[in-house]
Each structure stands twice: as structure tokens, then as C-alpha cells.
Amino acid sequence: MDEQNTDLIQGTLDMLILKSLDLEPMHGFGIARRIEQVSRGVFKVNPGSLLTAFQRLERMGWLDSEWRQTENARKAKFYRLTQTGRKQLGVETANWNRRASAIARLLKAEG
Amino acid sequence: MSLWRQLSRGLRTLTNRNAADQAIDDEIEHFLEESAAAFTAKGLPPEEARRAARLELGASLSAREEVRAYGWENRVDNLWADLRYAGRTLTGNPGFTAVSILTLALGIGASTAIFSVVDAVLLRSLPYPEPQQIVRIWEQAPNGHRINLADGNFDDFLRQNHTFAALAAYNERPASVSGGSEPARVKWSEVSSGFFGTFGVKPLRGRVFSPDESRTQGTPAVIVSFPFWQRYFGGADDLAPLHLKIEGKDYAVAGVMPEGFDYPAGNALWTPVELQSQSQSRSAHNWRGIGRIRAGVTLVQARQDLSVIARRIRAEYGKKVDLQDAAVLPLGKALVGDVQTALLTLLGAVGLLLLVACANVAGLLVARGAARRKELALRVALGAGRGRLLQQFLVESLALSLAGGTLGVLLAAWAVRLLPAILPANLPRQQGIVMNTGVLLFALAATFAVGAALGALAAWRAGRGNVQQALASGSRAYTGTGASQRLRGVVVTGEIAATLVILIAAGLLGRSFLRLVSTSPGFHAGNLITMQFSVPIETEQNGALGPDAVARQARLLERVSARLQALPGVESVGVSGAMPVAEGDNLAEGGFLILNGRKPPADFEEFQRMGQNSGQTGHALYAVAGEEYFRAMGIPLVRGRMFAAQDQADAQHVAVISEALARQRWPGQDPLGQVLEFGNMDGNLKPLTVVGLVGDVRARGLDAPPGPVVYVNYRQRGMNLNSTPTLLLRTAAPVKEVVQQARAIVQEMAPDVPLKFSTFEEQMSGWLADRRFLLLLVGLFAAAALSLAAIGIYGVVAFSVARRTQEIGIRVAMGARRGDILRLVVGEGARLAMLGAAIGIAASLLITRLLTTLLFGISSTDPVTFAGVALLLGLVAVLASYLPARRAMRLDPNSALRYE
């Protein structure tokens, strides 16, 4: 059961990260906070999986990273979407929407 | 793109691990700071905020590990770590490591060496173009036996077939040759014109025969083998001036075959022969047949083609032919013949040995696995997955097996160089035995299979343990659990069973060998010097010996014998056309007519007609000999007389026969005075009168029952091309002296005649050599397997004693006597041995049946061998258990109880 949950989160986690970076480059903690805030606390991301996900997405070529100064003069690793990352976000969003509406229909039919 | 990124990232991480780690640490640190800052903003004091942040991140260590563990480069990293770890543990246990590596080296080395033989002899294709198209061809007799081709029948096969690109007949025989650097006795083949075309091999120098070569006038041509050219002509480039005298006839050297061309095996000279000019006989089976099947034609089609021709021949000639059908076999298979069983026996023995070696190392690994349970449990507790553990074990056992395999290949390379010295001379294609890519691949495959199997076994064992229990138990865990001890018991039982199979095979072969050697051959082989005295044999056009040639031959033999007889120490000098046993399958034999007053046949046709009355025919070996032959060989005269001075060429021709023939052909009658006509083998149609009866001789080999023999007098019947004229010297003087003097005498009397000295025992030992070789090898394997099994039993019992130290201490404290302890400990080894032996005997009963063709005078389930071997193994088991038992008996109960 644990594993299944992780899978679900992992599937959506990539999409959530990509979505968070759609507007502007951000560092790790920023992304975590954005996901938490926007989902109104529904998704609280485990920092370990988040950092691993960055590694993965970078390898897929969807994210780029660079070390930059933050507004409070600290060095932080900033991530931004690449061209292929943006395409991937489109694909994943479409997939998600298709699945979500299918599930919604199923639930409605049952009710 | 993505793959490239994966690779470059991974490589960067690998080459600069520290920087990569630093980046991850920095990122985590930054994450922590931001998180703490967020908590502070919510109103927590800085200290608390930082703690909360750390809590949220989880143990930063494990987060870091998670991030670090991502990517393929980490697998490489792990593997490297495992390798270093394996290296440390293996060098940390030098005893275990050395024993394991040596054991595996022995197993892998022995199987690789034997495989190199199997590869060269059985597996590799012949070194000719499209070798699968080359076949041997026979006539098939009504009893299903394959027999050589008769002239006329070969001619029909050659002219009427539709499926052969080339078809040739040849025969092989020893020949005396001079004209090279020294006179020699070599193998000579007469071949028909399609011979070289069948193999598709061109001469290295010069030319092959033209189709009508043998009909042309002048000096006939000879083609020589590469080794002969090297040895007797020093590899001379210009062939034009090279001439040879073969059996007294002149030949001009026309060509040299390339080095790899070796057919028939060991042949030195090929001369052309025209079958049409020989007899048109349809029942004198003089020719061996070979052919090359046309491309695209199958073996079955080729055989059917010849079968049709064979049926036509039978329909046309009826009882004048004895062929029933044609037989066709791929040349490779035909060459290998009966050594296949022996070789596969060896491969089986060596495979079992490898299995025993593996079992031994597996036993050691299981024992060590038990000792390492705590370490493994700790790693599992720290989050190492099954996969990681399996990898660790595989890396370790592969390191072991690779070290063993490397050493094994070195051993095999050394053995392969020694093999030619010990392999039996009649093993075909043995010059091809080398360590080639195929053999190395075999060694590599064996090494990996062994490593993977051992690793999997060890990992499976380790994965079964209960982590908590292993961590909680104290030093007890160090000596292993009951379960691992049971597993070792199973492994050792299997080892003993496999060992028993090898031991029984060795025992059966050994007993057969002893029986063979102790079988009375009907003669005394000791103190007999043989001198192959290869007088030129002057045949006439039809291959027969004229009366003048016989007389010349007899005079020379007589003069030489007389001189040799005068040598000090020489008791008798016998003349023989072929030596029993030593020449085995090459001895001449044939059918004869019983005349007894009937008129002898005038020609061959009539001989055949008369031969159809089975009441008046017989079959026997045909041996040319002198009167002293029987005395020199120690063959007793039973009745009548031996050859004598009055039996000259122009007197009545006489024969001496063996008891077996008398029993078979004239039971209850007097064989003396019977009159025979022995074919026309030597072109001499004079009848033979039986004047003597001598004892039986196992002429075909010690393992064959004595058969009927007709001995004829060398003064009346000469030695034809199929004989090896031999003088036998029975002497009490040292062999070396006699040989020296004899050589000097003969060289003075007949300087052109090649001589070959030997002792009869040596010649016979050549016959025994292949059996001795097989016995030696299987014996070695058996010894190796037995010592491995002993080590295995010792290991299990010693381990069990160590594990039960406390228990034994209690027993002693409770008053158990030394005898009880001995029984307890030795009983454990004996139980393993008995169970293993029972399984081994059951397996042997099934397996040894395959050995039947190699056994002599003994059944493949010989109870004496089975019982003896089981007893031997039992003794070894008891001995192997006795050493640890002695230690157990000496235990001081006090210290044993404090052992924990």
C-alpha cells in the first residue's frame, strides 16, 4: 500500500514540479513551498523525494539548474524549465486532465 | 540527447565524486536554512526552528543517501565498493580463499583440458573445404557389417552415381622406402584418381595425379606428405630430381601435400592406382571408399543413390556378390568411431569432478555465510536490499571463480602440452588439440556458471536468516545455525554421491584392465625382441607374389636368421608375417575351401562357386610363419608336427592350424591330413595339407576370444604387401646389446632394408595404451574427487564439533566416555557418507551401463567393485571424521562450558 501511494505521488510530483517552474526559475525550497501553498496544504512534499526528483528531471533534460544568489545574498541552486520540459508539462497536464475527467465521470455514474 | 546527458552527468559525478557530493550537501543545507527561516517566520525561536526543519527533511543523512543513490553511476560505485570489499574478505581469509581457488582451478582446469581433446577429436570439423560433404563409403554385408569395397562394385558406384562430385577408392599399408635421407618404413596409400578431388585440397608443391597417370608408361608418380618431405628431402624446393624406391619399385616425386593434409592419418606416400587394371572381383573387399557429395545433396539422398546401385549389382550378380546395401557415413564420424564412448566417459568424469569441486567450495561458502550472518544482518538493518546482498555475494563468488578459472586455464594449457605424450597413438585427430578460442570460451562459461551458482547459493542462504535473531544471539551465531549445517550436510552428501560414481567407473575400468593384463594370451611376450625387417616385396602385376620372389625372400630371411641365431644369448629366432595383438585389426583373414581329394579350383570363378557349399568352407586368420616362430613365441605344439626342413617351396605345401579352428571345423575328427585351399590371397592355388595342431592365441587383442588361425610356411607362401615381416629374437641377454649386434649384422647383409627394433611387450603395450590412458585419467579424477570429498566431510564434522563444543562439554561433564564422544562425532561423518554412498550407488547403476563397451570380463554392475568402492569411501569418511573427533575427545569440560 505504501508503495502504491509513493507511485501515485511520484507520477504527479514530476508534473507538480514542472508546473511550479512554469512561471519562473526557483530553488528547491521555493518549489516545495509553492506546491504546499497552491495545493492549500493537501500535498506536503517529502524533501528527500523532492531533491531526488530534481536529479531525475534534470537527467531527463526537462530541468536546467544553476547556482545563483538569492535575494538575501545566499547561494542556492535554481531550477528552470527547459524547452523539452515545457513540452513534457503539456503532455503530462493533458494526460492528467484526461484521467481526472474519466475518473470524475466514473464517480458521477456510480453516484 | 537524454542518453548523452545521462552518460555525461554520470561520468562527471564518477570522476568528481567529491564535488558532486558537495553540491548535494550544499543544496540540502540551503533547503534546511530556508525551511528554518520559514519556521522562524511562524514565530519559533531559531534553535527550535532549525530542529523542526531538520525533522521535516528527515534524517538529512538518509535524504542525502537517497539523492546520492540516484543514477547509474552509483551502481558502478557500489560494484566497485563490493569488489574492494570482496577483495578484503577474501584476503582476510587466506586459508579459505586458497583452498577454494585451488579446488576450482583443479575442477575447471581438468574439464578444460579434457574439453580441448573432445573439441579437437569430436567437435571441430575436418580441415578441408565443406567437410560435411566428405563421406566414407562401404558395402554393407548381409549381417549388417560395413565392409570395404570390391573392385567391380566400386567401379559401378563410381560410374552410375548421380550424387557425388568425386568418388575414390584407396588402400593403406606399411611400405619400405628408400631414396630419401635413410631407408624407412612408412604408411603408403594407393589411391584412385578422385582421391584428392574428394578433399578439395591442392598440393603445396608440384601437382596431383592426372586421371590416367597409372596407365602411362615410364616411372610412376608419388605424392609425399609434408612431414615426409621435410624429414627425408629436407624440404627441397625442386621436386624434379627427387625419386623414391617403394618396395623396390622406382617412383618420381610429383607433388607435396600441404601440412594439414593428413588422410589416411599418418600417411606419407600416395601413389595412383587404376582399379580397372586390377581384378574385377566382386567379393575381394580390398578398397576403402571415400567421396564428396555434390553441393545441395543430402547424406540420405547420396546413400539412397548408392543403395539403388547396390540393388542393381545384387540383381545382376546374385550370389557372386556378398553386398546387401551401401553404407555412407560422414568422414568426421567415421574417423572418430569408437573413441567417442571413451572420450565422453572422460568428459563425464571430469564434469563430476567439477561438480564435486563446486560442492566443496559451496560447503565452505555456506560455513562462512553462517559466520558472517551478523555482518549481513547489520547491513539488512541499515537498509541494504536483497538485490544489493545478492550482488555482494555474486561479486565475491565470481572473484573466487575467476581466480580459480584463470589458474585452471593455466593448468589446462600445461596439461594440453603434456597430452601428446600420454594420449594413445590411435586417437584420431589429436594433433589438433590446442587451447583455442572455443576451449577458452568453454573455460570462461564454466567459470561464470560456477561463480553464479555459488553466489546464488550463498545469497539464498544468507537471505533466509532472521535478522533480529542473528543480531540478538551472541557468539553462537558465529559458528552457524543448525540449518546451515544441514545444508552443508546436503552438499557434502551430493559430493560423496558424485565421488562414488567416479570411483566406481575407475574401479570397473581398473578391474577390466587387470583382467586384460592377466589374461593368458597363449604365448609368452617376455624376453622377445622384435625386428621389423622390411624386405622389399616384389609383387607381380596382379599384386601376387611369384615363386621366385618367395624364394628370394625366404633365402634372405633364412640367412639373416642364421646369423642372428649365432649371437650370444639368443635362444631362438622366429619368422613372422605379422605379430598377434600388436597388429590387431590389421591381421589378414579370409575364407578357405576344404578340398580333401577334390580337384583344386582352376581359377577364382571356380573357387567362388565351390565356396557356396558351406559344409566345405571355413574362415580363419592367415599367418605366415617359420618353424622357429612357435618356439620363440612359446606357442605349444598339441599334435602332429611343426614346419620342418623338408617343407620347401617345391614340396607339398603344408599348414599348421590352431586348436580353435580344429574345434570349430572338425569337432571330434582328426584335423591332421585335411587339405585346404586358402583363397587366392597370394595368387598361389596350391592346396595346403594340415600337418600340425598348435595352442590358441588371442591374436586380435587380449579382450577378444582366441579365434581360428591357419599358419603357412614362409618358404612356401611369401609375405605379401599386407604383411610386416618380423624376426623374433627370444633372448636372455640385455636387449640393448642384442639390438646393437643385430643391427650391425643386418646392415652389413642388406644395407637398403629399413629396420625397426622393439620388444614384443612394448608393441603389446601400444595396444594396451588407450585403456591404460583412460584408466590413468579416470583414476586421477577419482583420487582428486576422493580427497575433495574427504575435505568436505572433514569440514562439516569439524564445524559441527566447534558448534557443539558446549554440548560436548556438558556430555563429558555428565560422564560421557571418550568412546561415546567418538561414536557421536564419527557417526555424523559416517551418516553423511552412507547416505551419499546410497545415492551414488543408485546413480552408478544407471550410469555405468554406458561403460559396457570399455569393460572386459566384468559386468557394469560388478558387485565386488561396488562394495569395494563403498567400503573405501566409508573408510575415508571415518578417517576424515576421526580428526575432529579426537579434538572433541580431548575437550576439557570446564573450558568447554566457559566457551561462550
Side-chain angles (χ1 to χ4, degrees):
Chain A
M1 167 178 167
D2 253 348
E3 259 173 37
Q4 276 175 354
N5 264 357
T6 324
D7 274 352
L8 184 66
I9 291 169
Q10 240 185 19
T12 49
L13 181 62
D14 290 359
M15 184 176 67
L16 295 180
I17 293 170
L18 293 176
K19 180 68 190 166
S20 308
L21 292 170
D22 196 16
L23 291 176
E24 52 172 347
M26 270 192 278
H27 55 65
F29 184 76
I31 296 170
R33 202 162 50 181
R34 162 78 51 91
I35 292 174
E36 204 178 323
Q37 280 171 350
V38 175
S39 71
R40 302 213 183 103
V42 172
F43 292 128
K44 214 165 149 43
V45 189
N46 165 12
S49 353
L50 191 68
L51 293 175
T52 316
F54 291 155
Q55 294 261 332
R56 188 173 58 246
L57 297 183
E58 257 194 282
R59 294 243 176 146
M60 304 296 282
W62 297 339
L63 299 187
D64 240 349
S65 70
E66 59 177 339
W67 290 88
R68 257 201 253 162
Q69 295 281 351
T70 61
E71 52 269 37
N72 41 16
R74 293 266 308 131
K75 262 188 79 166
K77 198 177 184 186
F78 276 76
Y79 295 92
R80 70 176 171 78
L81 270 190
T82 61
Q83 206 61 334
T84 46
R86 209 170 293 280
K87 258 184 233 156
Q88 181 65 19
L89 176 60
V91 171
E92 295 210 0
T93 317
N95 274 348
W96 174 259
N97 285 337
R98 217 178 53 235
R99 259 181 251 153
S101 60
I103 288 170
R105 271 199 305 279
L106 278 170
L107 290 175
K108 214 176 274 167
E110 193 129 325
Chain B
M1 180 70 188
S2 174
L3 178 70
W4 169 243
R5 207 184 289 258
Q6 287 269 5
L7 272 174
S8 62
R9 286 262 173 176
L11 281 178
R12 218 177 311 148
T13 315
L14 265 184
T15 48
N16 201 347
R17 184 95 237 183
N18 285 341
D21 283 354
Q22 189 58 47
I24 292 170
D25 286 350
D26 285 351
E27 192 174 8
I28 289 173
E29 186 54 34
H30 175 252
F31 196 99
L32 267 175
E33 276 175 26
E34 292 282 348
S35 177
F39 279 115
T40 318
K42 279 186 196 158
L44 283 180
E47 275 297 295
E48 298 244 334
R50 202 158 169 85
R51 229 179 40 155
R54 196 160 288 161
L55 216 62
E56 196 181 50
L57 184 64
S60 65
L61 192 80
S62 82
R64 207 183 110 195
E65 284 307 298
E66 255 177 76
V67 178
R68 272 195 61 170
Y70 183 78
W72 62 267
E73 68 272 15
N74 286 290
R75 259 168 252 151
V76 177
D77 239 21
N78 283 339
L79 198 64
W80 179 233
D82 283 349
L83 266 174
R84 273 177 312 186
Y85 187 76
R88 270 202 310 281
T89 41
L90 292 182
T91 48
N93 290 289
F96 160 80
T97 308
V99 169
S100 304
I101 289 177
L102 283 179
T103 306
L104 291 178
L106 184 70
I108 293 172
S111 13
T112 304
I114 296 301
F115 180 79
S116 73
V117 179
V118 171
D119 175 57
V121 178
L122 297 184
L123 301 182
R124 216 177 310 149
S125 55
L126 296 165
Y128 310 114
E130 270 106 60
Q132 70 287 351
Q133 300 296 102
I134 308 177
V135 293
R136 275 278 267 130
I137 296 162
W138 295 268
E139 289 178 19
Q140 197 161 313
N143 61 7
H145 285 184
R146 293 193 292 249
I147 48 180
N148 285 337
L149 302 168
D151 305 54
N153 297 342
F154 168 74
D155 212 39
D156 285 349
F157 284 149
L158 177 65
R159 282 161 202 281
Q160 297 173 22
N161 83 79
H162 305 289
T163 49
F164 285 85
L167 203 65
Y170 68 97
N171 62 21
E172 44 176 311
R173 62 168 72 116
S176 303
V177 55
S178 58
S181 54
E182 56 182 294
R185 186 91 173 149
V186 295
K187 258 199 190 178
W188 167 33
S189 294
E190 290 181 296
V191 303
S192 73
S193 62
F195 185 80
F196 295 105
T198 295
F199 292 95
V201 177
K202 292 198 166 57
L204 177 72
R205 294 265 195 297
R207 56 177 182 90
V208 294
F209 310 121
S210 52
D212 55 354
E213 182 100 38
S214 61
R215 260 182 290 178
T216 51
Q217 296 296 312
T219 319
V222 58
I223 291 177
V224 301
S225 73
F226 186 87
F228 186 89
W229 177 58
Q230 290 282 316
R231 189 156 165 208
Y232 293 97
F233 293 127
D237 269 329
D238 185 12
L239 302 183
L242 303 184
H243 280 259
L244 284 175
K245 244 188 174 77
I246 305 173
E247 297 293 357
K249 257 189 219 153
D250 275 322
Y251 288 81
V253 176
V256 177
M257 290 311 284
E259 198 172 358
F261 187 82
D262 187 35
Y263 193 89
N267 193 72
L269 310 169
W270 294 270
T271 59
V273 65
E274 188 87 18
L275 264 63
Q276 284 76 18
S277 72
Q278 305 266 328
S279 90
Q280 274 293 314
S281 160
R282 298 215 168 245
S283 60
H285 303 276
N286 290 327
W287 301 99
R288 293 161 202 249
I290 47 165
R292 173 177 287 273
I293 303 177
R294 258 182 232 287
V297 175
T298 66
L299 189 69
V300 177
Q301 289 168 329
R303 197 214 139 105
Q304 279 166 351
D305 186 18
L306 295 189
S307 280
V308 169
I309 301 169
R311 268 200 296 277
R312 210 177 293 149
I313 294 172
R314 212 174 62 225
E316 189 175 338
Y317 296 94
K319 285 199 163 172
K320 277 190 187 164
V321 292
D322 44 13
L323 95 167
Q324 184 76 17
D325 202 348
V328 177
L329 208 63
L331 183 62
K333 251 195 206 135
L335 279 177
V336 164
D338 45 348
V339 302
Q340 191 159 353
T341 318
L343 273 185
L344 294 181
T345 302
L346 273 185
L347 198 63
V350 92
L352 280 175
L353 180 71
L354 182 58
L355 213 62
V356 170
C358 282
N360 239 22
V361 176
L364 288 170
L365 275 175
V366 169
R368 223 168 50 105
R372 283 171 62 186
R373 282 195 70 203
K374 226 170 152 175
E375 165 211 329
L376 294 171
L378 201 65
R379 294 194 57 183
V380 171
L382 284 177
R386 278 275 165 94
R388 280 292 283 114
L389 283 189
L390 177 65
Q391 180 183 319
Q392 169 72 54
F393 279 111
L394 277 179
V395 165
E396 247 183 79
S397 61
L398 279 176
L400 266 187
S401 72
L402 277 175
T406 310
L407 198 60
V409 166
L410 292 178
L411 270 178
W414 175 70
V416 161
R417 217 170 303 157
L418 286 187
L419 278 174
I422 52 171
L423 280 173
N426 64 355
L427 184 72
R429 309 182 63 193
Q430 55 176 298
Q431 67 284 357
I433 299 172
V434 285
M435 297 285 289
N436 58 9
T437 325
V439 175
L440 286 177
L441 278 179
F442 170 86
L444 197 69
T447 301
F448 271 97
V450 164
L454 290 178
L457 177 81
W460 171 71
R461 273 303 308 152
R464 277 163 45 108
N466 180 328
V467 176
Q468 255 81 37
Q469 197 196 325
L471 283 175
S473 65
S475 58
R476 171 70 71 85
Y478 182 74
T479 49
T481 59
S484 82
Q485 181 71 3
R486 268 197 301 284
L487 178 65
R488 290 191 72 196
V490 171
V491 168
V492 169
T493 306
E495 186 177 350
I496 291 171
T499 303
L500 195 93
V501 175
I502 308 183
L503 280 176
I504 285 182
L508 289 173
L509 290 173
R511 274 171 62 84
S512 295
F513 189 76
L514 285 181
R515 290 213 171 185
L516 267 183
V517 175
S518 62
T519 299
S520 165
F523 51 79
H524 301 298
N527 291 336
L528 261 183
I529 298 172
T530 61
M531 181 181 94
Q532 284 181 10
F533 175 68
S534 308
V535 228
I537 292 168
E538 307 147 47
T539 57
E540 295 177 354
Q541 197 53 45
N542 61 358
L545 227 56
D548 293 348
V550 174
R552 267 196 301 279
Q553 208 179 64
R555 264 201 310 278
L556 182 59
L557 285 168
E558 229 165 70
R559 269 169 43 220
V560 173
S561 314
R563 289 282 302 273
L564 296 181
Q565 181 84 61
L567 284 177
V570 172
E571 291 161 14
S572 49
V573 179
V575 174
S576 166
M579 297 303 291
V581 181
E583 267 156 284
D585 286 344
N586 293 327
L587 294 172
E589 67 173 76
F592 59 81
L593 296 175
I594 301 170
L595 291 177
N596 290 350
R598 283 188 299 163
K599 199 172 81 61
D603 54 23
F604 187 65
E605 299 286 306
E606 198 185 345
F607 177 86
Q608 281 192 315
R609 219 172 26 252
M610 292 170 74
Q612 277 161 35
N613 180 352
S614 64
Q616 285 165 342
T617 60
H619 194 94
L621 283 184
Y622 178 89
V624 182
E627 63 272 19
E628 286 293 319
Y629 170 78
F630 302 99
R631 224 154 288 150
M633 287 286 281
I635 300 172
L637 178 70
V638 180
R639 289 192 52 204
R641 65 171 178 89
M642 295 204 187
F643 301 132
Q646 76 260 31
D647 301 324
Q648 293 298 325
D650 46 7
Q652 182 193 45
H653 283 204
V654 293
V656 167
I657 65 167
S658 72
E659 281 189 288
L661 179 56
R663 267 198 311 276
Q664 199 184 79
R665 205 60 203 76
W666 296 285
Q669 298 172 46
D670 190 355
L672 299 187
Q674 303 276 352
V675 179
L676 319 174
E677 170 63 52
F678 212 112
N680 70 340
M681 300 180 68
D682 50 3
N684 194 328
L685 293 171
K686 274 193 178 173
L688 297 158
T689 304
V690 177
V691 295
L693 186 62
V694 293
D696 281 332
V697 167
R698 289 178 187 264
R700 286 267 186 232
L702 299 182
D703 57 347
V709 190
V710 171
Y711 296 94
V712 295
N713 187 346
Y714 76 103
R715 291 193 184 87
Q716 299 179 330
R717 302 293 171 100
M719 303 194 194
N720 59 22
L721 286 177
N722 291 316
S723 353
T724 308
T726 306
L727 289 178
L728 287 164
L729 287 71
R730 181 165 289 283
T731 164
V735 172
K736 248 193 177 160
E737 278 172 32
V738 176
V739 167
Q740 217 169 23
Q741 291 165 324
R743 190 187 293 280
I745 289 175
V746 180
Q747 267 169 359
E748 177 206 316
M749 296 178 73
D752 273 352
V753 173
L755 292 181
K756 193 176 149 203
F757 287 93
S758 179
T759 66
F760 191 35
E761 275 174 330
E762 268 168 25
Q763 286 195 297
M764 284 190 29
S765 79
W767 182 85
L768 288 170
D770 51 344
R771 285 153 199 279
R772 187 180 297 132
F773 170 72
L774 186 65
L775 176 65
L776 176 77
L777 278 195
V778 174
L780 276 177
F781 296 151
L786 188 63
S787 39
L788 287 178
I791 294 172
I793 295 172
Y794 169 80
V796 168
V797 175
F799 218 73
S800 156
V801 167
R803 191 169 63 90
R804 292 161 74 184
T805 299
Q806 207 180 18
E807 174 206 327
I808 293 172
I810 293 172
R811 281 174 191 261
V812 174
M814 302 277 284
R817 277 163 307 174
R818 290 165 60 98
D820 299 330
I821 303 297
L822 183 70
R823 254 196 306 284
L824 180 76
V825 176
V826 172
E828 185 167 358
R831 255 200 315 284
L832 290 179
M834 268 166 61
L835 189 60
I839 298 171
I841 284 176
S844 300
L845 285 175
L846 294 174
I847 293 171
T848 52
R849 238 179 284 164
L850 304 174
L851 287 178
T852 309
T853 55
L854 300 172
L855 300 180
F856 170 73
I858 194 171
S859 122
S860 66
T861 56
D862 178 50
V864 177
T865 309
F866 274 61
V869 163
L871 195 69
L872 174 69
L873 200 61
L875 268 174
V876 168
V878 168
L879 269 178
S881 331
Y882 177 70
L883 293 175
R886 217 174 42 172
R887 200 173 325 133
M889 287 188 298
R890 291 207 184 120
L891 271 181
D892 169 19
N894 287 322
S895 63
L897 289 175
R898 276 199 306 272
Y899 182 71
E900 291 284 293

